[in-house]
Amino acid sequence: MRARVALTRGRARYESVAAALERIAKDVHLERRWRVVVKPNLGRADRQLAATHVDAVRAVLDFVRARWDGPVAVAEGSARGPTHTAFRQLGYEDLVPEFDVDLVDLNADETVPVRVWDRELRPLRVEVARTLAMADFRISVCPPKTHDAALVALGIENMVRGSLAGREHERAAGARLGRLAPAWVRHSRLAAWSRANWAGRKGGPLGMALHQGPPLLNLNLARLAPHVWPQLTVIDGWRAMEGEGPGTGDPVRWRVALAGTDALAVDVLASHLMGIDPEHVGYLQHCRRLGLGRGDLEEIDVTGNLPVEQARRRFVAHPTWRRQLAWRIEEADRLLIAP
């Protein structure tokens, strides 16, 4: 079965996202659902470019509320500072009376244990936010960004990384390194090693799971993905980020939106449009091997008001992109499906 992904451009962010959702509306089935959770990316409340704009979420909620009158939560765990502060600073509190939604702090959520792998490829337990793990309709809404370890940060990465609880020490370590170190230090192999070990000690299993270099990061992102897989993905590319993403990169005035019910297909197309070969993105290829969606561009039908070639733009990759290409693990097939 082929995947369908909407690609649109409007006169404003809300219009672009709304148009993309209307293009794939027949693919979205909310009947007999009991809990809808919208997951934005509020990685940095102090920088709008690094966070999902509230107008993109507003377009999603308008779409959902036209079809569903049940419980809806907007859930996130801020990467810097209290989540309720991020909700307030970025305008999310206005959504509560407007759409009758709950704002959920995933950093304070109950958790569900999930097994991943440590640097010695031994089983490692991490805690996934219960709100996401137990939802039966998840919507990932995020801006497209280049990434310092996984090449691109898109819908799947937003949902998976945001689902992990207990990240306070990891965030503090990363923030201090980002503030104090010059670029050549931040991008060095020593810095990568330091982040892995510091986060692994202070942040517990989470740091060990996601800060051990490209091979383990990509493997564990895919390993966690089935537990919080999005039923709908929206990429708000009105303004995107290139270079030193996902937090400190440069703005790209792209003015596009993508939407689809096949999360892998949406991310694969978005990566392609950014000029980054999706076959080089480890977690996307692992998800493809797991059969989680359509990971081949030839299996994706694009619908919308914007031709693919007009939307393509070569994003400046993160300075460490060459090291990020070394994500392959010989035992990946076994490790992805092992109990």
Side-chain angles (χ1 to χ4, degrees):
M1 183 176 178
R2 300 177 62 82
R4 181 163 56 167
V5 177
L7 174 62
T8 58
R9 173 175 287 165
R11 293 170 294 182
R13 171 183 277 109
Y14 177 97
E15 180 181 313
S16 295
V17 172
L21 288 167
E22 287 300 326
R23 289 283 183 168
I24 51 90
K26 291 182 179 180
D27 300 335
V28 179
H29 303 290
L30 289 168
E31 59 274 10
R32 294 188 295 277
R33 302 291 182 173
W34 68 274
R35 178 74 162 175
V36 173
V37 177
V38 179
K39 167 64 174 68
N41 180 343
L42 305 185
R44 286 189 58 175
D46 62 341
R47 193 176 190 219
Q48 178 63 79
L49 183 65
T52 303
H53 198 284
V54 69
D55 283 347
V57 175
R58 184 169 278 110
V60 170
L61 291 175
D62 269 331
F63 177 84
V64 170
R65 279 305 187 206
R67 296 160 174 81
W68 165 256
D69 60 2
V72 177
V74 176
E76 171 63 316
S78 179
R80 293 191 183 187
T83 303
H84 64 82
T85 300
F87 281 143
R88 184 180 67 254
Q89 290 180 347
L90 294 171
Y92 278 70
E93 290 182 344
D94 294 340
L95 302 175
V96 175
E98 187 176 352
F99 295 101
D100 186 24
V101 299
D102 297 321
L103 299 181
V104 177
D105 179 4
L106 296 178
N107 292 336
D109 202 16
E110 295 181 3
T111 61
V112 175
V114 177
R115 179 179 292 184
V116 293
W117 305 102
D118 71 8
R119 69 190 63 192
E120 303 299 329
L121 299 183
R122 297 172 301 196
L124 175 70
R125 186 176 117 163
V126 295
E127 301 294 330
V128 172
R130 186 178 181 85
T131 294
L132 289 180
M134 303 306 292
D136 64 345
F137 198 92
R138 307 176 195 91
I139 306 174
S140 180
V141 190
C142 64
K145 299 182 282 187
T146 52
H147 198 274
D148 59 3
L151 287 182
V152 289
L154 298 165
I156 297 170
E157 193 269 353
N158 170 53
M159 185 66 76
V160 174
R161 285 181 67 98
S163 73
L164 292 167
R167 294 173 287 168
E168 289 78 7
H169 294 294
E170 171 199 341
R171 296 190 193 99
R176 284 192 290 270
L177 182 65
R179 288 196 304 266
L180 300 177
W184 70 269
V185 173
R186 296 197 306 271
H187 304 154
S188 67
R189 294 182 184 276
L190 177 60
W193 179 88
S194 299
R195 283 193 296 269
N197 284 276
W198 193 353
R201 289 199 309 272
K202 300 292 185 180
L206 172 66
M208 295 175 64
L210 296 184
H211 289 272
Q212 302 180 83
L216 263 295
L217 171 67
N218 283 282
L219 180 72
N220 284 332
L221 284 175
R223 173 85 177 180
L224 287 164
H227 297 276
V228 291
W229 192 253
Q231 280 74 38
L232 175 61
T233 297
V234 176
I235 306 293
D236 168 27
W238 188 256
R239 292 183 78 213
M241 182 185 291
E242 66 182 3
E244 294 191 33
T248 61
D250 299 317
V252 176
R253 190 169 179 267
W254 202 14
R255 300 188 302 117
V256 306
L258 295 91
T261 55
D262 185 321
L264 181 58
V266 175
D267 280 8
V268 164
L269 179 60
S271 181
H272 171 72
L273 294 176
M274 295 167 72
I276 297 174
D277 188 342
E279 293 193 3
H280 293 164
V281 182
Y283 68 93
L284 295 183
Q285 294 309 306
H286 288 323
C287 288
R288 180 182 178 183
R289 293 163 83 173
L290 285 171
L292 296 178
R294 297 298 174 182
D296 188 335
L297 288 167
E298 298 299 322
E299 298 176 320
I300 300 172
D301 295 325
V302 182
T303 181
N305 63 1
L306 184 64
V308 169
E309 290 308 312
Q310 288 187 23
R312 289 201 71 189
R313 173 191 174 118
R314 184 167 294 279
F315 278 51
V316 175
H318 192 278
T320 63
W321 68 269
R322 288 182 178 84
R323 293 207 297 270
Q324 296 181 49
L325 296 177
W327 52 265
R328 291 170 177 80
I329 294 179
E330 289 185 6
E331 298 182 78
D333 287 342
R334 177 183 68 83
L335 296 171
L336 286 169
I337 63 174

mmCIF file of all heavy atoms in Angstrom, residues 209-241:
data_model
loop_
_atom_site.group_PDB
_atom_site.id
_atom_site.type_symbol
_atom_site.label_atom_id
_atom_site.label_comp_id
_atom_site.label_asym_id
_atom_site.label_seq_id
_atom_site.Cartn_x
_atom_site.Cartn_y
_atom_site.Cartn_z
ATOM 1 N N ALA A 209 21.152 5.996 27.008
ATOM 2 C CA ALA A 209 20.431 5.503 25.833
ATOM 3 C C ALA A 209 20.606 6.403 24.628
ATOM 4 O O ALA A 209 20.704 5.920 23.503
ATOM 5 C CB ALA A 209 18.951 5.362 26.160
ATOM 6 N N LEU A 210 20.634 7.720 24.834
ATOM 7 C CA LEU A 210 20.578 8.638 23.697
ATOM 8 C C LEU A 210 21.814 9.512 23.532
ATOM 9 O O LEU A 210 21.824 10.386 22.678
ATOM 10 C CB LEU A 210 19.330 9.525 23.824
ATOM 11 C CG LEU A 210 17.993 8.802 23.766
ATOM 12 C CD1 LEU A 210 16.857 9.801 23.810
ATOM 13 C CD2 LEU A 210 17.875 7.940 22.523
ATOM 14 N N HIS A 211 22.868 9.284 24.303
ATOM 15 C CA HIS A 211 24.058 10.126 24.168
ATOM 16 C C HIS A 211 25.308 9.269 24.051
ATOM 17 O O HIS A 211 26.292 9.492 24.740
ATOM 18 C CB HIS A 211 24.155 11.088 25.353
ATOM 19 C CG HIS A 211 23.117 12.159 25.296
ATOM 20 N ND1 HIS A 211 23.309 13.338 24.633
ATOM 21 C CD2 HIS A 211 21.865 12.206 25.788
ATOM 22 C CE1 HIS A 211 22.234 14.088 24.737
ATOM 23 N NE2 HIS A 211 21.337 13.417 25.420
ATOM 24 N N GLN A 212 25.269 8.306 23.173
ATOM 25 C CA GLN A 212 26.407 7.409 22.985
ATOM 26 C C GLN A 212 26.874 7.383 21.543
ATOM 27 O O GLN A 212 27.424 6.400 21.080
ATOM 28 C CB GLN A 212 26.024 5.998 23.435
ATOM 29 C CG GLN A 212 25.574 5.949 24.882
ATOM 30 C CD GLN A 212 25.199 4.557 25.305
ATOM 31 O OE1 GLN A 212 26.059 3.765 25.658
ATOM 32 N NE2 GLN A 212 23.928 4.245 25.260
ATOM 33 N N GLY A 213 26.617 8.442 20.821
ATOM 34 C CA GLY A 213 27.034 8.518 19.438
ATOM 35 C C GLY A 213 25.965 8.034 18.481
ATOM 36 O O GLY A 213 24.958 7.434 18.875
ATOM 37 N N PRO A 214 26.169 8.284 17.188
ATOM 38 C CA PRO A 214 25.151 7.965 16.178
ATOM 39 C C PRO A 214 24.661 6.518 16.161
ATOM 40 O O PRO A 214 23.460 6.299 15.987
ATOM 41 C CB PRO A 214 25.838 8.354 14.863
ATOM 42 C CG PRO A 214 26.794 9.435 15.254
ATOM 43 C CD PRO A 214 27.309 9.026 16.611
ATOM 44 N N PRO A 215 25.521 5.501 16.301
ATOM 45 C CA PRO A 215 24.988 4.130 16.220
ATOM 46 C C PRO A 215 23.912 3.836 17.262
ATOM 47 O O PRO A 215 22.831 3.350 16.926
ATOM 48 C CB PRO A 215 26.233 3.260 16.416
ATOM 49 C CG PRO A 215 27.365 4.112 15.951
ATOM 50 C CD PRO A 215 27.005 5.500 16.376
ATOM 51 N N LEU A 216 24.194 4.142 18.532
ATOM 52 C CA LEU A 216 23.226 3.849 19.586
ATOM 53 C C LEU A 216 22.041 4.804 19.547
ATOM 54 O O LEU A 216 20.898 4.410 19.802
ATOM 55 C CB LEU A 216 23.908 3.908 20.951
ATOM 56 C CG LEU A 216 24.361 2.557 21.524
ATOM 57 C CD1 LEU A 216 23.180 1.668 21.819
ATOM 58 C CD2 LEU A 216 25.326 1.853 20.576
ATOM 59 N N LEU A 217 22.289 6.068 19.238
ATOM 60 C CA LEU A 217 21.184 7.025 19.165
ATOM 61 C C LEU A 217 20.161 6.582 18.134
ATOM 62 O O LEU A 217 18.964 6.496 18.422
ATOM 63 C CB LEU A 217 21.708 8.414 18.805
ATOM 64 C CG LEU A 217 20.631 9.445 18.480
ATOM 65 C CD1 LEU A 217 19.798 9.770 19.703
ATOM 66 C CD2 LEU A 217 21.239 10.708 17.900
ATOM 67 N N ASN A 218 20.610 6.292 16.927
ATOM 68 C CA ASN A 218 19.682 5.901 15.864
ATOM 69 C C ASN A 218 19.007 4.570 16.159
ATOM 70 O O ASN A 218 17.810 4.407 15.904
ATOM 71 C CB ASN A 218 20.432 5.840 14.529
ATOM 72 C CG ASN A 218 20.690 7.205 13.952
ATOM 73 O OD1 ASN A 218 19.814 7.840 13.380
ATOM 74 N ND2 ASN A 218 21.924 7.686 14.098
ATOM 75 N N LEU A 219 19.749 3.627 16.704
ATOM 76 C CA LEU A 219 19.172 2.328 17.047
ATOM 77 C C LEU A 219 18.084 2.482 18.101
ATOM 78 O O LEU A 219 16.975 1.932 17.965
ATOM 79 C CB LEU A 219 20.266 1.395 17.561
ATOM 80 C CG LEU A 219 19.809 -0.009 17.952
ATOM 81 C CD1 LEU A 219 19.471 -0.834 16.721
ATOM 82 C CD2 LEU A 219 20.876 -0.706 18.793
ATOM 83 N N ASN A 220 18.363 3.246 19.148
ATOM 84 C CA ASN A 220 17.400 3.362 20.241
ATOM 85 C C ASN A 220 16.207 4.234 19.883
ATOM 86 O O ASN A 220 15.098 4.000 20.377
ATOM 87 C CB ASN A 220 18.097 3.874 21.501
ATOM 88 C CG ASN A 220 18.917 2.785 22.180
ATOM 89 O OD1 ASN A 220 18.605 1.600 22.060
ATOM 90 N ND2 ASN A 220 19.966 3.175 22.875
ATOM 91 N N LEU A 221 16.392 5.230 19.029
ATOM 92 C CA LEU A 221 15.235 5.978 18.545
ATOM 93 C C LEU A 221 14.251 5.041 17.843
ATOM 94 O O LEU A 221 13.036 5.104 18.067
ATOM 95 C CB LEU A 221 15.666 7.089 17.586
ATOM 96 C CG LEU A 221 16.293 8.343 18.189
ATOM 97 C CD1 LEU A 221 16.778 9.277 17.083
ATOM 98 C CD2 LEU A 221 15.301 9.082 19.088
ATOM 99 N N ALA A 222 14.780 4.171 16.989
ATOM 100 C CA ALA A 222 13.910 3.229 16.278
ATOM 101 C C ALA A 222 13.347 2.172 17.214
ATOM 102 O O ALA A 222 12.205 1.715 17.052
ATOM 103 C CB ALA A 222 14.685 2.566 15.140
ATOM 104 N N ARG A 223 14.129 1.768 18.188
ATOM 105 C CA ARG A 223 13.671 0.769 19.151
ATOM 106 C C ARG A 223 12.478 1.295 19.958
ATOM 107 O O ARG A 223 11.519 0.570 20.259
ATOM 108 C CB ARG A 223 14.840 0.429 20.080
ATOM 109 C CG ARG A 223 14.515 -0.469 21.239
ATOM 110 C CD ARG A 223 14.562 -1.912 20.890
ATOM 111 N NE ARG A 223 14.314 -2.737 22.066
ATOM 112 C CZ ARG A 223 14.293 -4.054 22.058
ATOM 113 N NH1 ARG A 223 14.491 -4.699 20.936
ATOM 114 N NH2 ARG A 223 14.064 -4.728 23.155
ATOM 115 N N LEU A 224 12.510 2.591 20.314
ATOM 116 C CA LEU A 224 11.437 3.199 21.098
ATOM 117 C C LEU A 224 10.232 3.578 20.245
ATOM 118 O O LEU A 224 9.109 3.680 20.753
ATOM 119 C CB LEU A 224 11.965 4.451 21.798
ATOM 120 C CG LEU A 224 12.909 4.232 22.980
ATOM 121 C CD1 LEU A 224 13.640 5.524 23.303
ATOM 122 C CD2 LEU A 224 12.139 3.740 24.192
ATOM 123 N N ALA A 225 10.473 3.825 18.960
ATOM 124 C CA ALA A 225 9.440 4.390 18.089
ATOM 125 C C ALA A 225 8.107 3.631 18.110
ATOM 126 O O ALA A 225 7.042 4.264 18.162
ATOM 127 C CB ALA A 225 9.961 4.514 16.663
ATOM 128 N N PRO A 226 8.084 2.297 18.043
ATOM 129 C CA PRO A 226 6.778 1.611 18.014
ATOM 130 C C PRO A 226 5.916 1.869 19.244
ATOM 131 O O PRO A 226 4.686 1.757 19.169
ATOM 132 C CB PRO A 226 7.165 0.129 17.916
ATOM 133 C CG PRO A 226 8.540 0.125 17.318
ATOM 134 C CD PRO A 226 9.207 1.346 17.880
ATOM 135 N N HIS A 227 6.525 2.239 20.360
ATOM 136 C CA HIS A 227 5.770 2.458 21.591
ATOM 137 C C HIS A 227 5.027 3.790 21.579
ATOM 138 O O HIS A 227 4.060 3.959 22.341
ATOM 139 C CB HIS A 227 6.714 2.409 22.795
ATOM 140 C CG HIS A 227 7.384 1.086 22.982
ATOM 141 N ND1 HIS A 227 6.789 0.040 23.645
ATOM 142 C CD2 HIS A 227 8.599 0.623 22.561
ATOM 143 C CE1 HIS A 227 7.605 -1.014 23.645
ATOM 144 N NE2 HIS A 227 8.709 -0.681 22.997
ATOM 145 N N VAL A 228 5.471 4.740 20.746
ATOM 146 C CA VAL A 228 4.836 6.068 20.720
ATOM 147 C C VAL A 228 4.638 6.538 19.278
ATOM 148 O O VAL A 228 4.692 7.723 18.993
ATOM 149 C CB VAL A 228 5.669 7.093 21.521
ATOM 150 C CG1 VAL A 228 5.623 6.795 23.007
ATOM 151 C CG2 VAL A 228 7.119 7.140 21.029
ATOM 152 N N TRP A 229 4.395 5.620 18.387
ATOM 153 C CA TRP A 229 4.330 5.938 16.955
ATOM 154 C C TRP A 229 3.197 6.918 16.661
ATOM 155 O O TRP A 229 2.061 6.726 17.087
ATOM 156 C CB TRP A 229 4.120 4.659 16.155
ATOM 157 C CG TRP A 229 4.329 4.830 14.676
ATOM 158 C CD1 TRP A 229 3.369 4.856 13.712
ATOM 159 C CD2 TRP A 229 5.583 4.983 14.017
ATOM 160 N NE1 TRP A 229 3.955 5.025 12.476
ATOM 161 C CE2 TRP A 229 5.313 5.106 12.632
ATOM 162 C CE3 TRP A 229 6.912 5.044 14.438
ATOM 163 C CZ2 TRP A 229 6.314 5.279 11.678
ATOM 164 C CZ3 TRP A 229 7.912 5.208 13.503
ATOM 165 C CH2 TRP A 229 7.605 5.327 12.134
ATOM 166 N N PRO A 230 3.472 8.007 15.913
ATOM 167 C CA PRO A 230 2.404 8.974 15.602
ATOM 168 C C PRO A 230 1.418 8.422 14.578
ATOM 169 O O PRO A 230 1.816 7.841 13.568
ATOM 170 C CB PRO A 230 3.180 10.175 15.010
ATOM 171 C CG PRO A 230 4.627 9.914 15.276
ATOM 172 C CD PRO A 230 4.780 8.435 15.407
ATOM 173 N N GLN A 231 0.148 8.646 14.829
ATOM 174 C CA GLN A 231 -0.885 8.316 13.836
ATOM 175 C C GLN A 231 -1.064 9.459 12.834
ATOM 176 O O GLN A 231 -1.669 9.266 11.782
ATOM 177 C CB GLN A 231 -2.211 8.032 14.536
ATOM 178 C CG GLN A 231 -2.322 6.634 15.121
ATOM 179 C CD GLN A 231 -1.498 6.464 16.381
ATOM 180 O OE1 GLN A 231 -1.399 7.368 17.200
ATOM 181 N NE2 GLN A 231 -0.899 5.291 16.550
ATOM 182 N N LEU A 232 -0.562 10.633 13.173
ATOM 183 C CA LEU A 232 -0.607 11.783 12.273
ATOM 184 C C LEU A 232 0.631 12.628 12.535
ATOM 185 O O LEU A 232 0.956 12.897 13.695
ATOM 186 C CB LEU A 232 -1.873 12.610 12.511
ATOM 187 C CG LEU A 232 -2.022 13.932 11.727
ATOM 188 C CD1 LEU A 232 -2.045 13.678 10.224
ATOM 189 C CD2 LEU A 232 -3.292 14.665 12.167
ATOM 190 N N THR A 233 1.321 13.002 11.472
ATOM 191 C CA THR A 233 2.508 13.846 11.594
ATOM 192 C C THR A 233 2.308 15.123 10.793
ATOM 193 O O THR A 233 1.866 15.093 9.647
ATOM 194 C CB THR A 233 3.762 13.112 11.073
ATOM 195 O OG1 THR A 233 4.000 11.956 11.881
ATOM 196 C CG2 THR A 233 4.991 14.014 11.128
ATOM 197 N N VAL A 234 2.657 16.250 11.419
ATOM 198 C CA VAL A 234 2.584 17.552 10.768
ATOM 199 C C VAL A 234 3.940 18.227 10.901
ATOM 200 O O VAL A 234 4.448 18.399 12.013
ATOM 201 C CB VAL A 234 1.494 18.441 11.396
ATOM 202 C CG1 VAL A 234 1.502 19.827 10.758
ATOM 203 C CG2 VAL A 234 0.121 17.790 11.263
ATOM 204 N N ILE A 235 4.530 18.569 9.771
ATOM 205 C CA ILE A 235 5.796 19.306 9.746
ATOM 206 C C ILE A 235 5.489 20.741 9.345
ATOM 207 O O ILE A 235 5.053 20.997 8.219
ATOM 208 C CB ILE A 235 6.802 18.687 8.757
ATOM 209 C CG1 ILE A 235 7.017 17.194 9.050
ATOM 210 C CG2 ILE A 235 8.118 19.454 8.780
ATOM 211 C CD1 ILE A 235 7.697 16.901 10.351
ATOM 212 N N ASP A 236 5.698 21.651 10.271
ATOM 213 C CA ASP A 236 5.476 23.067 9.999
ATOM 214 C C ASP A 236 6.789 23.705 9.566
ATOM 215 O O ASP A 236 7.626 24.069 10.388
ATOM 216 C CB ASP A 236 4.931 23.766 11.247
ATOM 217 C CG ASP A 236 4.948 25.284 11.115
ATOM 218 O OD1 ASP A 236 4.875 25.773 9.973
ATOM 219 O OD2 ASP A 236 5.040 25.974 12.157
ATOM 220 N N GLY A 237 6.953 23.833 8.267
ATOM 221 C CA GLY A 237 8.176 24.389 7.713
ATOM 222 C C GLY A 237 8.054 25.839 7.290
ATOM 223 O O GLY A 237 8.778 26.279 6.389
ATOM 224 N N TRP A 238 7.129 26.586 7.910
ATOM 225 C CA TRP A 238 7.051 28.014 7.576
ATOM 226 C C TRP A 238 8.409 28.668 7.816
ATOM 227 O O TRP A 238 8.913 29.404 6.990
ATOM 228 C CB TRP A 238 5.963 28.680 8.409
ATOM 229 C CG TRP A 238 5.690 30.091 7.988
ATOM 230 C CD1 TRP A 238 6.087 31.228 8.611
ATOM 231 C CD2 TRP A 238 4.966 30.498 6.820
ATOM 232 N NE1 TRP A 238 5.665 32.331 7.915
ATOM 233 C CE2 TRP A 238 4.967 31.917 6.814
ATOM 234 C CE3 TRP A 238 4.316 29.811 5.790
ATOM 235 C CZ2 TRP A 238 4.348 32.654 5.812
ATOM 236 C CZ3 TRP A 238 3.693 30.552 4.799
ATOM 237 C CH2 TRP A 238 3.714 31.948 4.802
ATOM 238 N N ARG A 239 8.984 28.371 8.989
ATOM 239 C CA ARG A 239 10.379 28.705 9.254
ATOM 240 C C ARG A 239 11.045 27.444 9.778
ATOM 241 O O ARG A 239 10.546 26.809 10.707
ATOM 242 C CB ARG A 239 10.527 29.840 10.266
ATOM 243 C CG ARG A 239 10.047 31.182 9.758
ATOM 244 C CD ARG A 239 10.295 32.267 10.789
ATOM 245 N NE ARG A 239 11.680 32.696 10.803
ATOM 246 C CZ ARG A 239 12.326 33.099 11.898
ATOM 247 N NH1 ARG A 239 11.718 33.062 13.077
ATOM 248 N NH2 ARG A 239 13.575 33.514 11.828
ATOM 249 N N ALA A 240 12.163 27.089 9.190
ATOM 250 C CA ALA A 240 12.887 25.888 9.562
ATOM 251 C C ALA A 240 14.249 26.279 10.134
ATOM 252 O O ALA A 240 14.566 27.464 10.268
ATOM 253 C CB ALA A 240 13.041 24.977 8.348
ATOM 254 N N MET A 241 15.046 25.275 10.471
ATOM 255 C CA MET A 241 16.372 25.532 11.030
ATOM 256 C C MET A 241 17.411 24.705 10.303
ATOM 257 O O MET A 241 17.215 23.519 10.041
ATOM 258 C CB MET A 241 16.401 25.191 12.529
ATOM 259 C CG MET A 241 17.750 25.472 13.193
ATOM 260 S SD MET A 241 17.833 24.941 14.924
ATOM 261 C CE MET A 241 16.718 26.115 15.696
#
